[in-house]
Amino acid sequence: MRVRVADTAVELAEGATVLAAVRAAGQEVPTLCQDDRLAPVGSCRVCLVDVDGRVLPACTTPAADGMRVRPQEERARAAARRALELVAAGLPERALAVPADRSELVRCCALLGVFAGSFGALPHRRGTDHSHPYVKLDRDLCIACQRCVRMCAEVQGTFALDMGGRGFDTVVVPGAGEPWVDSPCVGCGGCVDSCPTGALSEPGLLDPSPLAGTTRTTCGYCGVGCSLDVHVRGGSVAAVTPVHGAPVNRGHACVKGRFAHGYTRARDRLTVPLLRRGGRDAPLEEASWEEAVGFAAGRLAAIRAARGPDAVAVISSARATNEENYLAQKYARAVLGTNSVDNCSRLCHAPSASGLTAAFGLAGGTNPFDDLDRADCFLVAGANPTEAHPVVGARIKQRVLAGAGLVVADPRRTDLADLADVHLRGRPGSNVAVFNGIAHVLLAEGLADEAFLAERASGLAELREVLRDHPPERVARLSGIAPGDLARAARRFGSAERPAILYGLGVTEHRHGTDGVRTLANLAVLTGSVGTEGGCGVLPLRGQNNVQGASDMGALPDHLPGYQPVAEPAARERCAAVWGAPVPERPGLRIPEMFDAAVAGRLGALHVIGEDIMRSDPDSGHVRAALAACELVVCQDVFLSGTAELADVVLPAASFLEKDGTFTNFERRVQRVRPAVAPPGQARSDFAILHLLAGALGADLGCPSPADALAECAAVAPLFGGLSHARLDRDGPLHWPCRGAGERGEAVLYLDRFATPDGRAALAARPYLPPGEQPDGAYPFVLVTGRRLAHYNTGSMTRRTANAELLSAETLDVHPADADRLGIADGDRVEVASRRGAIVLAARRTDEVAPGELFTAFHFPDAPANVLTSGFADTVTGCPEYKVSAVALRPAPEGPPPGPGRAARG
Ligand SMILES: Nc1nc2c(c(=O)[nH]1)N[C@H]1C(S)=C(S)[C@@H](COP(=O)(O)OP(=O)(O)OC[C@H]3O[C@@H](n4cnc5c(=O)[nH]c(N)nc54)[C@H](O)[C@@H]3O)O[C@H]1N2
Ligand SMILES: Nc1nc2c(c(=O)[nH]1)N[C@H]1C(S)=C(S)[C@@H](COP(=O)(O)OP(=O)(O)OC[C@H]3O[C@@H](n4cnc5c(=O)[nH]c(N)nc54)[C@H](O)[C@@H]3O)O[C@H]1N2
Ligand code: SF4
Ligand code: SF4
Ligand code: FES
Ligand SMILES: [Mo]
């Protein structure tokens, strides 16, 4: 449709508003209650404009073909000005002192000519609530527009806010009126971001001094990959806000990406290289870059010369950029001469890469995040997105509140489980039985898509054979899930038009994690909801900011960049030609194999980039033994991590807010990362550090800049042939596969054919097999480990921010019935012991866990969960079985905490 705005004609899509028309014509309309992320309410009336001679609010009036809009028409402006003067009358004059870039009210006043004299007629004296570390409320600046309340409900889905008081005294109230910090607020910052007056603000923006600049980048915490604007003042980060209209997060964020940036200037940031000059028993001492790098390179070269290239191994970082990971694997292969390079994907979603490749052909999720908008039923298995991927969790919540179905498979009562139509509360480790049980019902009740199966899938006969052994009654014995619940879940999922499967570590981090992924993928194939318009596919909620990218770039012992097998001569030659160095033929060691090799005396040097293996890998006692057995441990980190403390050389690294490159999110979207601030002290990017080390080893890694590195990766990896910084800067994020400069990248995969050898989706016939450990008389509980909202993995960053005020210590979650039996009250110190060791922490009584099961996270060094976890791992990929450990529980005895115990491995 065509609308005239003053003298300009604009072309608009159906459903557009008059406000959109005015903006499309390049003019500004004052608005207060309107926010593009929210349904319009039209309550403030400051957006009044003339529409075909009538005075109407621009934000709620639909545009129509042939309409004439006059934003400057005097009668409309006068009415808008009167509305704004009424708002101003209730506000103190200091409302005008909020900088214009943080107050739409101030901008409205400038646009409509409302001055200080209109303010303060009826001042409030309602005070502030500064109880929350990030969300600061000044009630006297509140105009009761309800934008915060609507953000919390319509975008975040938390419903923590409401309006309280009457008429003129109406003001936002958190929870049931308690201090903000004690309310159900999850700290996503949506309310602060939307507030038009500064009534809601945050620490860095309360300070009225101007911001020095803003840099657009991608969040470095989780794999959602939110676009963020980083505002800088005085050389440090003042605030981080979500990018409105960004393709992934659409102006939303979470308490980590939005607020947890204080670590960048933590006093204990690593700012100079450290070196153990006097050998293992000597302390780490400050050193120059030249000395530290020279030392590391000298020892690496000597170990390599004496014991061969495979005596050296590199762990690359899923926190680092694509370009750094590309360089790390090139350094391992072309400079050190070994394929022993791996990344944190091993601990996380390696079973996704292997399972999804076997089922569909490529090692990534099948559909984009945007597809959740059209999903009418979600199967969320072994994932807790409202805590671990909050922007995705919120989007799922919104869809469910709008009527979409939800089936949750999780032993714990998560936030989403509370909303679910069916909560399949199976025993930890029983996924394969549960997914096979659902498949059994789908086929038995005619809910499968027979046409799709006949045309596009293989392996149905073999699957049917295995499913004969998985009727709901047997699944009930294996998993504890009642046959009726299983059938209800299968019917809800199987009768949806466009179902979506999302899953997390509750599926992968098991002894049979790859089988879990395969049997879950079966459900998408059986319902024809992958590779078609009739479904939203299978989305692994990949964890770290760049865990997808680290593997994509070839930081894997058996794959070169772009998942080209090391074993394939043509792939090796393609890389060797560009690198000017041969690529070793023998696949390298996986992370757990590196530790085993070290303990067995076969590994001399371990170079760890951005992973705290002492805290995050299972069975810390074994990891400690591995580090002790190495002649040389080099560690690049932002902080002196548990691993760095044991290293011989520690190199201070820049964090994501300080570097240039790209990250690839959970939906294969490649996004730019840009430096907002300089690294502190002498810290350098991992990119620069790898160049220094290679140089000291007498080699040149090429690719002087991150842009060059991505360009080189595009040249060696056909899957990424069309990616470049120039394109990303010009066109915005791109999905892979992106094989040529003319391609936009494939967001939805397999619409024509699957990328398997025969072009069909491969159904997997996998029987249920038990987890590595089962509870027994000595260790009668099952311990599940996972995550909590406020902290991130080892907590090295979030613990050094005010997130530590939101969650200050770890707890062991215990079902009240078990706690009663053992005489454990809330907050009591308890000892949890496994066959590997024991730790002490505070109990939290909650029915979020089932009787007989316990839960804790691994965010705090004084509650090191991985002292307890076992060496059992996915039989296909080696991903540790973090989700099942047999443990004993008792009130903690007096005395110091026990720490790692016997090194017996499960
Ligand atoms: N706040 C926060 N966010 C994070 C992180 C963080 O540390 N903190 N870490 C990031 C990383 S690296 C990752 S990988 C992701 C992880 O994100 P998620 O995979 O969502 O996280 P987890 O909490 O480890 O595990 C998810 C769920 O699996 C369930 N589960 C355990 N065992 C089983 C089982 O046998 N079957 C089923 N069906 N479910 C089971 C657990 O109860 C838990 O609720 O989060 C990322 N985002
Ligand atoms: N018990 C238990 N253990 C688990 C899991 C579980 O569910 N239960 N989950 C596993 C999973 S999924 C994962 S992903 C791992 C995560 O384990 P890790 O990767 O070890 O954890 P992170 O805290 O994400 O980051 C590791 C280190 O990288 C540093 N760092 C951050 N950014 C950079 C950077 O840009 N450069 C460099 N050089 N360093 C940087 C941080 O300071 C930190 O010390 O933990 C695993 N461990
Ligand atoms: S706090 Fe801000 S967003 Fe919330 S009602 Fe008041 S003025 Fe509106
Ligand atoms: S959801 Fe993930 S990517 Fe987005 S702001 Fe939070 S931590 Fe960052
Ligand atoms: S912005 Fe249109 S009525 Fe408030
Ligand atoms: Mo992860």
Side-chain angles (χ1 to χ4, degrees), residues 1 7 9 29 130 152 155 162 174 263 289 332 337 348 363 382 441 620 660 710 735 741 787 811 879:
M1 72 183 133
D7 297 330
V29 190
H130 283 197
C152 196
V155 175
D162 202 348
Y263 73 86
W289 272 103
C348 186
V441 178
S620 313
D660 178 38
L710 191 64
H735 288 272
R787 289 153 172 79
T811 55
C879 178

PDB file of all heavy atoms in Angstrom, residues 1 7 9 29 130 152 155 162 174 263 289 332 337 348 363 382 441 620 660 710 735 741 787 811 879:
ATOM      1  N   MET A   1       0.851  -1.210   0.000  1.00  0.00           N
ATOM      2  CA  MET A   1       0.000   0.000   0.000  1.00  0.00           C
ATOM      3  C   MET A   1       0.876   1.247   0.000  1.00  0.00           C
ATOM      4  O   MET A   1       2.052   1.212   0.372  1.00  0.00           O
ATOM      5  CB  MET A   1      -0.927  -0.017   1.227  1.00  0.00           C
ATOM      6  CG  MET A   1      -0.209   0.242   2.555  1.00  0.00           C
ATOM      7  SD  MET A   1      -1.372   0.120   3.940  1.00  0.00           S
ATOM      8  CE  MET A   1      -0.458  -0.898   5.060  1.00  0.00           C
ATOM      9  N   ASP A   7       5.055  15.425   2.283  1.00  0.00           N
ATOM     10  CA  ASP A   7       5.242  15.450   0.838  1.00  0.00           C
ATOM     11  C   ASP A   7       5.863  14.172   0.283  1.00  0.00           C
ATOM     12  O   ASP A   7       6.159  14.086  -0.895  1.00  0.00           O
ATOM     13  CB  ASP A   7       6.162  16.635   0.471  1.00  0.00           C
ATOM     14  CG  ASP A   7       5.511  17.955   0.842  1.00  0.00           C
ATOM     15  OD1 ASP A   7       4.257  18.014   0.805  1.00  0.00           O
ATOM     16  OD2 ASP A   7       6.250  18.903   1.199  1.00  0.00           O
ATOM     17  N   ALA A   9       5.949  10.059  -0.489  1.00  0.00           N
ATOM     18  CA  ALA A   9       5.139   8.847  -0.644  1.00  0.00           C
ATOM     19  C   ALA A   9       5.951   7.657  -0.157  1.00  0.00           C
ATOM     20  O   ALA A   9       7.135   7.543  -0.461  1.00  0.00           O
ATOM     21  CB  ALA A   9       4.763   8.663  -2.101  1.00  0.00           C
ATOM     22  N   VAL A  29       8.368  10.824  15.106  1.00  0.00           N
ATOM     23  CA  VAL A  29       7.151  11.130  15.859  1.00  0.00           C
ATOM     24  C   VAL A  29       7.496  10.902  17.328  1.00  0.00           C
ATOM     25  O   VAL A  29       8.083   9.874  17.651  1.00  0.00           O
ATOM     26  CB  VAL A  29       6.008  10.150  15.527  1.00  0.00           C
ATOM     27  CG1 VAL A  29       4.693  10.629  16.128  1.00  0.00           C
ATOM     28  CG2 VAL A  29       5.883   9.938  14.061  1.00  0.00           C
ATOM     29  N   HIS A 130      16.890   0.494  45.061  1.00  0.00           N
ATOM     30  CA  HIS A 130      18.181   0.139  44.475  1.00  0.00           C
ATOM     31  C   HIS A 130      18.673  -1.206  45.006  1.00  0.00           C
ATOM     32  O   HIS A 130      19.862  -1.471  45.041  1.00  0.00           O
ATOM     33  CB  HIS A 130      19.219   1.246  44.756  1.00  0.00           C
ATOM     34  CG  HIS A 130      19.047   2.439  43.859  1.00  0.00           C
ATOM     35  ND1 HIS A 130      20.007   3.394  43.667  1.00  0.00           N
ATOM     36  CD2 HIS A 130      18.014   2.816  43.072  1.00  0.00           C
ATOM     37  CE1 HIS A 130      19.571   4.323  42.824  1.00  0.00           C
ATOM     38  NE2 HIS A 130      18.351   3.995  42.457  1.00  0.00           N
ATOM     39  N   CYS A 152       8.264  -7.485  30.476  1.00  0.00           N
ATOM     40  CA  CYS A 152       8.444  -8.638  31.362  1.00  0.00           C
ATOM     41  C   CYS A 152       7.457  -9.754  31.009  1.00  0.00           C
ATOM     42  O   CYS A 152       7.797 -10.931  31.077  1.00  0.00           O
ATOM     43  CB  CYS A 152       8.269  -8.206  32.818  1.00  0.00           C
ATOM     44  SG  CYS A 152       8.904  -9.397  33.988  1.00  0.00           S
ATOM     45  N   VAL A 155       7.729 -10.226  26.342  1.00  0.00           N
ATOM     46  CA  VAL A 155       9.001 -10.634  25.744  1.00  0.00           C
ATOM     47  C   VAL A 155       9.721 -11.655  26.627  1.00  0.00           C
ATOM     48  O   VAL A 155      10.133 -12.703  26.167  1.00  0.00           O
ATOM     49  CB  VAL A 155       9.906  -9.404  25.467  1.00  0.00           C
ATOM     50  CG1 VAL A 155      11.276  -9.843  24.972  1.00  0.00           C
ATOM     51  CG2 VAL A 155       9.240  -8.494  24.439  1.00  0.00           C
ATOM     52  N   ASP A 162       4.192  -5.520  37.963  1.00  0.00           N
ATOM     53  CA  ASP A 162       2.785  -5.139  37.864  1.00  0.00           C
ATOM     54  C   ASP A 162       2.715  -3.643  38.167  1.00  0.00           C
ATOM     55  O   ASP A 162       3.700  -3.053  38.603  1.00  0.00           O
ATOM     56  CB  ASP A 162       1.969  -5.931  38.890  1.00  0.00           C
ATOM     57  CG  ASP A 162       0.499  -5.993  38.486  1.00  0.00           C
ATOM     58  OD1 ASP A 162       0.086  -5.245  37.564  1.00  0.00           O
ATOM     59  OD2 ASP A 162      -0.235  -6.779  39.115  1.00  0.00           O
ATOM     60  N   PRO A 174       7.531  -4.529  41.657  1.00  0.00           N
ATOM     61  CA  PRO A 174       8.021  -5.886  41.385  1.00  0.00           C
ATOM     62  C   PRO A 174       7.349  -6.884  42.310  1.00  0.00           C
ATOM     63  O   PRO A 174       7.086  -6.583  43.487  1.00  0.00           O
ATOM     64  CB  PRO A 174       9.525  -5.785  41.689  1.00  0.00           C
ATOM     65  CG  PRO A 174       9.640  -4.673  42.689  1.00  0.00           C
ATOM     66  CD  PRO A 174       8.490  -3.735  42.454  1.00  0.00           C
ATOM     67  N   TYR A 263      33.652  -8.167  34.855  1.00  0.00           N
ATOM     68  CA  TYR A 263      34.900  -8.948  34.933  1.00  0.00           C
ATOM     69  C   TYR A 263      36.017  -8.311  34.107  1.00  0.00           C
ATOM     70  O   TYR A 263      37.192  -8.519  34.393  1.00  0.00           O
ATOM     71  CB  TYR A 263      34.648 -10.388  34.447  1.00  0.00           C
ATOM     72  CG  TYR A 263      34.472 -10.449  32.946  1.00  0.00           C
ATOM     73  CD1 TYR A 263      35.585 -10.564  32.118  1.00  0.00           C
ATOM     74  CD2 TYR A 263      33.224 -10.329  32.352  1.00  0.00           C
ATOM     75  CE1 TYR A 263      35.439 -10.557  30.739  1.00  0.00           C
ATOM     76  CE2 TYR A 263      33.068 -10.307  30.991  1.00  0.00           C
ATOM     77  CZ  TYR A 263      34.182 -10.422  30.177  1.00  0.00           C
ATOM     78  OH  TYR A 263      34.035 -10.394  28.824  1.00  0.00           O
ATOM     79  N   TRP A 289      56.592 -10.797  27.684  1.00  0.00           N
ATOM     80  CA  TRP A 289      56.041 -11.648  26.627  1.00  0.00           C
ATOM     81  C   TRP A 289      57.158 -12.416  25.953  1.00  0.00           C
ATOM     82  O   TRP A 289      57.043 -13.602  25.664  1.00  0.00           O
ATOM     83  CB  TRP A 289      55.277 -10.811  25.593  1.00  0.00           C
ATOM     84  CG  TRP A 289      53.844 -10.610  25.958  1.00  0.00           C
ATOM     85  CD1 TRP A 289      53.286  -9.483  26.474  1.00  0.00           C
ATOM     86  CD2 TRP A 289      52.787 -11.575  25.829  1.00  0.00           C
ATOM     87  NE1 TRP A 289      51.942  -9.691  26.690  1.00  0.00           N
ATOM     88  CE2 TRP A 289      51.600 -10.961  26.296  1.00  0.00           C
ATOM     89  CE3 TRP A 289      52.719 -12.894  25.389  1.00  0.00           C
ATOM     90  CZ2 TRP A 289      50.382 -11.618  26.326  1.00  0.00           C
ATOM     91  CZ3 TRP A 289      51.495 -13.557  25.399  1.00  0.00           C
ATOM     92  CH2 TRP A 289      50.340 -12.919  25.875  1.00  0.00           C
ATOM     93  N   ALA A 332      48.494 -26.249  15.482  1.00  0.00           N
ATOM     94  CA  ALA A 332      48.719 -27.635  15.903  1.00  0.00           C
ATOM     95  C   ALA A 332      49.206 -28.475  14.732  1.00  0.00           C
ATOM     96  O   ALA A 332      50.173 -29.230  14.849  1.00  0.00           O
ATOM     97  CB  ALA A 332      47.436 -28.227  16.488  1.00  0.00           C
ATOM     98  N   GLY A 337      52.757 -30.083  14.066  1.00  0.00           N
ATOM     99  CA  GLY A 337      52.774 -31.343  13.326  1.00  0.00           C
ATOM    100  C   GLY A 337      51.916 -32.441  13.926  1.00  0.00           C
ATOM    101  O   GLY A 337      52.174 -33.623  13.740  1.00  0.00           O
ATOM    102  N   CYS A 348      30.425 -31.558  25.467  1.00  0.00           N
ATOM    103  CA  CYS A 348      29.185 -30.810  25.376  1.00  0.00           C
ATOM    104  C   CYS A 348      28.301 -31.385  24.276  1.00  0.00           C
ATOM    105  O   CYS A 348      27.423 -32.182  24.546  1.00  0.00           O
ATOM    106  CB  CYS A 348      29.618 -29.372  25.105  1.00  0.00           C
ATOM    107  SG  CYS A 348      28.397 -28.114  25.078  1.00  0.00           S
ATOM    108  N   ALA A 363      26.770 -31.390  10.568  1.00  0.00           N
ATOM    109  CA  ALA A 363      26.988 -31.345  12.014  1.00  0.00           C
ATOM    110  C   ALA A 363      26.410 -30.098  12.664  1.00  0.00           C
ATOM    111  O   ALA A 363      27.073 -29.429  13.438  1.00  0.00           O
ATOM    112  CB  ALA A 363      28.485 -31.442  12.293  1.00  0.00           C
ATOM    113  N   GLY A 382      15.989 -32.651  27.761  1.00  0.00           N
ATOM    114  CA  GLY A 382      17.294 -32.491  28.409  1.00  0.00           C
ATOM    115  C   GLY A 382      17.880 -31.115  28.202  1.00  0.00           C
ATOM    116  O   GLY A 382      19.084 -30.971  27.984  1.00  0.00           O
ATOM    117  N   VAL A 441       4.921 -45.482  20.054  1.00  0.00           N
ATOM    118  CA  VAL A 441       3.527 -45.020  20.054  1.00  0.00           C
ATOM    119  C   VAL A 441       3.193 -44.331  18.723  1.00  0.00           C
ATOM    120  O   VAL A 441       2.116 -44.529  18.161  1.00  0.00           O
ATOM    121  CB  VAL A 441       3.269 -44.066  21.246  1.00  0.00           C
ATOM    122  CG1 VAL A 441       1.829 -43.554  21.220  1.00  0.00           C
ATOM    123  CG2 VAL A 441       3.567 -44.768  22.573  1.00  0.00           C
ATOM    124  N   SER A 620      38.285 -34.673  38.402  1.00  0.00           N
ATOM    125  CA  SER A 620      39.389 -33.719  38.539  1.00  0.00           C
ATOM    126  C   SER A 620      40.684 -34.359  39.036  1.00  0.00           C
ATOM    127  O   SER A 620      41.772 -33.893  38.695  1.00  0.00           O
ATOM    128  CB  SER A 620      39.005 -32.610  39.517  1.00  0.00           C
ATOM    129  OG  SER A 620      37.730 -32.131  39.232  1.00  0.00           O
ATOM    130  N   ASP A 660      38.437  -8.978  17.881  1.00  0.00           N
ATOM    131  CA  ASP A 660      37.868  -8.873  16.545  1.00  0.00           C
ATOM    132  C   ASP A 660      37.737 -10.273  15.947  1.00  0.00           C
ATOM    133  O   ASP A 660      38.643 -11.080  16.091  1.00  0.00           O
ATOM    134  CB  ASP A 660      38.851  -8.020  15.707  1.00  0.00           C
ATOM    135  CG  ASP A 660      38.412  -7.871  14.259  1.00  0.00           C
ATOM    136  OD1 ASP A 660      37.199  -7.729  14.021  1.00  0.00           O
ATOM    137  OD2 ASP A 660      39.279  -7.906  13.371  1.00  0.00           O
ATOM    138  N   LEU A 710      39.626 -15.776   8.291  1.00  0.00           N
ATOM    139  CA  LEU A 710      38.346 -16.302   7.808  1.00  0.00           C
ATOM    140  C   LEU A 710      38.395 -16.483   6.286  1.00  0.00           C
ATOM    141  O   LEU A 710      37.855 -17.452   5.753  1.00  0.00           O
ATOM    142  CB  LEU A 710      37.178 -15.392   8.221  1.00  0.00           C
ATOM    143  CG  LEU A 710      35.800 -16.017   7.973  1.00  0.00           C
ATOM    144  CD1 LEU A 710      35.587 -17.272   8.830  1.00  0.00           C
ATOM    145  CD2 LEU A 710      34.660 -15.034   8.236  1.00  0.00           C
ATOM    146  N   HIS A 735      24.204 -17.652   7.507  1.00  0.00           N
ATOM    147  CA  HIS A 735      24.206 -19.045   7.960  1.00  0.00           C
ATOM    148  C   HIS A 735      25.187 -19.859   7.113  1.00  0.00           C
ATOM    149  O   HIS A 735      25.364 -19.582   5.945  1.00  0.00           O
ATOM    150  CB  HIS A 735      22.819 -19.665   7.763  1.00  0.00           C
ATOM    151  CG  HIS A 735      21.774 -19.168   8.717  1.00  0.00           C
ATOM    152  ND1 HIS A 735      21.561 -19.736   9.947  1.00  0.00           N
ATOM    153  CD2 HIS A 735      20.885 -18.162   8.617  1.00  0.00           C
ATOM    154  CE1 HIS A 735      20.583 -19.099  10.563  1.00  0.00           C
ATOM    155  NE2 HIS A 735      20.157 -18.134   9.785  1.00  0.00           N
ATOM    156  N   ALA A 741      30.302 -16.648  -2.735  1.00  0.00           N
ATOM    157  CA  ALA A 741      30.073 -15.243  -2.382  1.00  0.00           C
ATOM    158  C   ALA A 741      28.666 -14.793  -2.777  1.00  0.00           C
ATOM    159  O   ALA A 741      28.139 -13.821  -2.230  1.00  0.00           O
ATOM    160  CB  ALA A 741      31.122 -14.370  -3.044  1.00  0.00           C
ATOM    161  N   ARG A 787      23.380 -26.414  35.115  1.00  0.00           N
ATOM    162  CA  ARG A 787      23.618 -24.975  35.161  1.00  0.00           C
ATOM    163  C   ARG A 787      22.585 -24.185  35.929  1.00  0.00           C
ATOM    164  O   ARG A 787      21.463 -24.643  36.119  1.00  0.00           O
ATOM    165  CB  ARG A 787      23.607 -24.443  33.722  1.00  0.00           C
ATOM    166  CG  ARG A 787      24.806 -24.892  33.034  1.00  0.00           C
ATOM    167  CD  ARG A 787      24.683 -25.015  31.565  1.00  0.00           C
ATOM    168  NE  ARG A 787      26.041 -25.294  31.099  1.00  0.00           N
ATOM    169  CZ  ARG A 787      26.594 -26.505  31.173  1.00  0.00           C
ATOM    170  NH1 ARG A 787      25.911 -27.523  31.612  1.00  0.00           N
ATOM    171  NH2 ARG A 787      27.836 -26.675  30.806  1.00  0.00           N
ATOM    172  N   THR A 811      24.645 -24.768  45.670  1.00  0.00           N
ATOM    173  CA  THR A 811      23.885 -25.607  46.583  1.00  0.00           C
ATOM    174  C   THR A 811      23.783 -27.010  46.006  1.00  0.00           C
ATOM    175  O   THR A 811      23.967 -27.209  44.800  1.00  0.00           O
ATOM    176  CB  THR A 811      22.449 -25.091  46.784  1.00  0.00           C
ATOM    177  OG1 THR A 811      21.829 -24.966  45.496  1.00  0.00           O
ATOM    178  CG2 THR A 811      22.417 -23.766  47.516  1.00  0.00           C
ATOM    179  N   CYS A 879      32.212 -37.946  24.893  1.00  0.00           N
ATOM    180  CA  CYS A 879      31.618 -36.875  25.709  1.00  0.00           C
ATOM    181  C   CYS A 879      31.319 -37.430  27.108  1.00  0.00           C
ATOM    182  O   CYS A 879      30.647 -38.450  27.254  1.00  0.00           O
ATOM    183  CB  CYS A 879      30.330 -36.387  25.042  1.00  0.00           C
ATOM    184  SG  CYS A 879      29.504 -35.104  25.992  1.00  0.00           S
TER     185      CYS A 879
END
